[in-house]
Amino acid sequence: MNKEVLDYVVEKTHELIDAPTCSNEAREAAKAWLDALGTDAEAAETKKYIDELEADIMPIDTLISFAESEGGSQCFGADAAKNIAAHAKEIKAAGAKYCDCPACVAVAAILEKKESLL
């Protein structure tokens, strides 16, 4: 992996860790990956990290379905859930494939470099 790609992914990984919408699992995988850089565990941790990111990124249709569900209302509150669903429909209409929360934006940026990481 070249230094430019590595630096970019490290930067996006820190953005992910700092994102308030980052899951605990993704945060832990990100930290483990950063800790493994330059060690014998790097390749294995990179694979685990990518697997976790692929599992965590929220497809836009999933976000819409959840926001419109009873679970979404319970999670976000009824008004916020309606706003999230409306926003998600707007960005989907504009071509978005994934949620645009800070964590998903960072994950999408990292996954764009997946082939260079593995």
Side-chain angles (χ1 to χ4, degrees):
M1 164 180 7
N2 76 39
K3 181 169 175 17
E4 186 176 308
V5 170
L6 178 60
D7 290 347
Y8 176 81
V9 174
V10 167
E11 176 186 334
K12 294 301 176 185
T13 297
H14 285 289
E15 288 176 17
L16 175 63
I17 290 168
D18 293 340
T21 52
C22 183
S23 72
N24 288 335
E25 296 84 3
R27 186 173 284 114
E28 291 306 313
K31 289 177 181 178
W33 179 75
L34 289 172
D35 288 345
L37 290 177
T39 72
D40 292 340
E42 182 176 339
E45 287 301 324
T46 299
K47 172 88 172 84
K48 289 179 191 176
Y49 186 38
I50 295 299
D51 288 347
E52 183 62 38
L53 297 181
E54 290 178 332
D56 279 13
I57 195 165
M58 177 73 68
I60 196 68
D61 288 330
T62 304
L63 175 60
I64 293 167
S65 294
F66 181 67
E68 292 180 331
S69 73
E70 183 61 34
S73 289
Q74 291 174 358
C75 180
F76 303 122
D79 290 339
K82 287 177 188 174
N83 292 337
I84 290 168
H87 172 73
K89 288 176 182 179
E90 286 176 21
I91 65 171
K92 178 182 178 182
K97 293 170 50 176
Y98 299 105
C99 170
D100 66 346
C101 76
C104 286
V105 168
V107 169
I110 294 165
L111 290 177
E112 286 178 7
K113 305 296 184 186
K114 173 183 169 179
E115 298 306 316
S116 297
L117 292 173
L118 296 175

